Amino acid sequence: MHWRTKLAQPQTLAPAGFKSLAVPTYRGSTVLFEKQADVIDHWKQEDGYSCGLYGTPTALELAGRIRALEGAAHTFLVPGGQAAIALVYLAVCKTGSHALVPHSVYGPNKEMSAGVLKRFGIEVESYDPLMGAAIAKLIRPNTALIWTESPGSVTMEIQDVPAICAAAHARNVPVALDNTYAAGVLFDAFKHGVDISIQALTKYVGGHSDLLLGAVSVREAKFRDLVGDTYKELGMGVSPDDCSLALRGLQTLGVRLRQLESSALTVAKWLAARAEIKAVFHPALPSCPGHDVWKRDFTGSASVFSILFDDRFAAKDVGAFVDALQLFKIGMSWGGVTSLALVYPNLDRPKDYGGRLVRLNVGLEEPEDLIGDLERALRAT
Ligand SMILES: *Cc1c(COP(=O)(O)O)cnc(C)c1O
């Protein structure tokens, strides 16, 4: 054979039987079959491999570990948390559908309502995240989906997810949860009645601010087929390299969450005692809306919370506070090792905080150093 032919038709020379603690990174778009009769084209894992798009062994190993951790019937990996949100909408809703979304939901979820969903004739209505069982009165004959997110993005409302699920299921409406805050582990979505649980693996599972990945986990086969077929049609494949990083992240998720919980609470309690701060919205503090529900339903708290400055501060003072921070960097996409701070000026909530709400992500720095940084910035404000 010509050497060019040899390059294109490689022989596998490495011995089989290698064992290590690391999951190998399998790259592959084409999956090979032994014979024509074996050829399949389906996302279903139990049918074996058919196309790299539906998962290489690296991706399916990660999906399997998330599925086991969350107690799901099936987990799909998607390119990011927002892709997970989009997949749920497109799998469950159709033209003429009505969906309910808490007004505390992740911003780009709302943007999708006003964009693609509106264009496709799907109506999304916003609801009070703290209304619990009263959501029953908002359910219409064409309600196809109720979103929950607990705590809510930035404003941190803890939702009564079991009460919402009970009201939804009485009318045969599925409930989806954005479980990113809980990393899929601090809140047991399926035990509390959720049908479809998503998380941005970008945050705590990745854990190092260097990858984008999402997961959609489903309670039962009915939702697996609904989500799976749409997933295949949309071509939401993921990179095995990102999956490899997420598999590494999973190994240290336990210790990172334990430390982040402790550090964030230390910082939050220090801030709660400051005269400049009117309220601290941290799920484990009574000042957080829905704190009692958090105590009932969650097994821990994570690294993000928000602080509301006293009314005497103007939005520009709060901006100056964020600018004066040195250890806290200014940026989105939390859950990594570095502390972050950010003002959300256009929150799009019924209650406007006038640019006085700052969302903090506490990282793995020593809490004493973070408190020193906050104290310096408060003095300069
Ligand atoms: C970050 C985030 C997402 C989106 O995740 P990406 O991977 O950045 O697309 C979705 N939901 C919540 C609550 C988030 O914080």
Side-chain angles (χ1 to χ4, degrees):
M1 273 190 290
H2 191 275
W3 62 267
R4 267 191 282 268
T5 306
K6 284 186 188 168
L7 287 176
Q9 296 268 334
Q11 311 280 319
T12 302
L13 299 174
F18 177 75
K19 277 189 184 166
S20 88
L21 289 168
V23 177
T25 303
Y26 288 98
R27 298 194 188 86
S29 50
T30 296
V31 170
L32 299 180
F33 302 93
E34 285 303 319
K35 49 188 193 302
Q36 178 62 42
D38 293 343
V39 177
I40 51 165
D41 181 13
H42 207 287
W43 57 267
K44 278 188 185 165
Q45 209 172 322
E46 55 267 32
D47 293 343
Y49 297 96
S50 60
C51 175
L53 186 62
Y54 317 141
T56 66
T58 314
L60 293 188
E61 181 65 32
L62 175 62
R65 291 190 191 185
I66 302 281
R67 173 180 55 69
L69 205 56
E70 298 194 15
H74 195 93
T75 294
F76 297 93
L77 297 178
V78 294
Q82 180 62 12
I85 291 166
L87 175 58
V88 172
Y89 272 119
L90 295 176
V92 174
C93 298
K94 59 177 195 248
T95 299
S97 289
H98 169 249
L100 287 162
V101 172
H103 59 59
S104 51
V105 88
Y106 178 65
N109 183 320
K110 281 190 205 173
E111 283 169 32
M112 199 178 166
S113 312
V116 166
L117 298 176
K118 189 167 180 207
R119 247 190 299 127
F120 289 172
I122 296 161
E123 183 192 352
V124 181
E125 182 185 354
S126 182
Y127 71 88
D128 174 359
L130 298 171
M131 76 191 306
I135 199 157
K137 64 176 188 269
L138 298 181
I139 298 174
R140 305 179 193 169
N142 62 337
T143 303
L145 174 66
I146 298 179
W147 267 107
T148 54
E149 185 184 321
S150 182
S153 284
V154 192
T155 40
M156 306 300 291
E157 296 90 342
I158 318 291
Q159 297 199 263
D160 192 342
V161 171
I164 292 171
C165 288
H169 293 160
R171 300 279 295 275
N172 233 349
V173 178
V175 176
L177 169 72
D178 187 331
N179 206 16
T180 300
Y181 173 90
V185 290
L186 301 177
F187 177 81
D188 186 336
F190 300 116
K191 190 186 110 195
H192 289 98
V194 168
D195 300 295
I196 304 174
S197 179
I198 74 112
Q199 62 161 321
L201 303 176
T202 306
K203 308 287 169 52
Y204 291 123
V205 171
H208 296 77
S209 313
D210 56 3
L211 68 94
L212 285 153
L213 216 51
V216 177
S217 300
V218 295
R219 165 207 284 292
E220 55 187 51
K222 179 174 82 172
F223 295 109
R224 181 197 63 186
D225 294 345
L226 204 58
V227 172
D229 291 343
T230 308
Y231 165 83
K232 178 176 186 282
E233 287 166 30
L234 293 175
M236 283 193 176
V238 296
S239 157
D241 295 278
D242 291 339
C243 292
S244 164
L245 288 173
L247 280 161
R248 173 187 288 212
L250 268 182
Q251 294 177 315
T252 56
L253 179 65
V255 284
R256 282 186 289 108
L257 281 179
R258 185 150 63 193
Q259 185 58 49
L260 292 172
E261 173 170 44
S262 159
S263 297
L265 261 172
T266 302
V267 174
K269 285 177 180 164
W270 182 84
L271 281 161
R274 294 291 301 201
E276 298 92 339
I277 306 302
K278 187 171 171 179
V280 176
F281 301 145
H282 182 297
L285 298 184
S287 47
C288 191
H291 165 71
D292 288 341
V293 174
W294 174 82
K295 255 193 352 210
R296 186 192 68 190
D297 294 348
F298 282 67
T299 57
S301 57
S303 68
V304 282
F305 64 95
S306 293
I307 52 173
L308 178 63
F309 274 76
D310 190 79
D311 297 348
R312 70 188 142 99
F313 294 97
K316 70 166 182 21
D317 303 326
V318 177
F321 161 79
V322 170
D323 289 345
L325 291 165
Q326 287 168 5
L327 296 180
F328 283 85
K329 308 299 180 200
I330 302 170
M332 294 178 273
S333 208
W334 40 275
V337 304
T338 308
S339 292
L340 302 169
L342 203 61
V343 182
Y344 286 80
N346 303 309
L347 265 179
D348 187 20
R349 305 276 196 279
K351 188 168 168 195
D352 180 32
Y353 290 101
R356 286 180 287 111
L357 197 65
V358 179
R359 208 264 301 275
L360 298 177
N361 171 67
V362 168
L364 292 177
E365 303 92 342
E366 281 298 299
E368 291 69 28
D369 289 332
L370 296 176
I371 287 171
D373 193 29
L374 292 163
E375 188 165 30
R376 244 189 330 271
L378 283 174
R379 253 190 277 123
T381 304

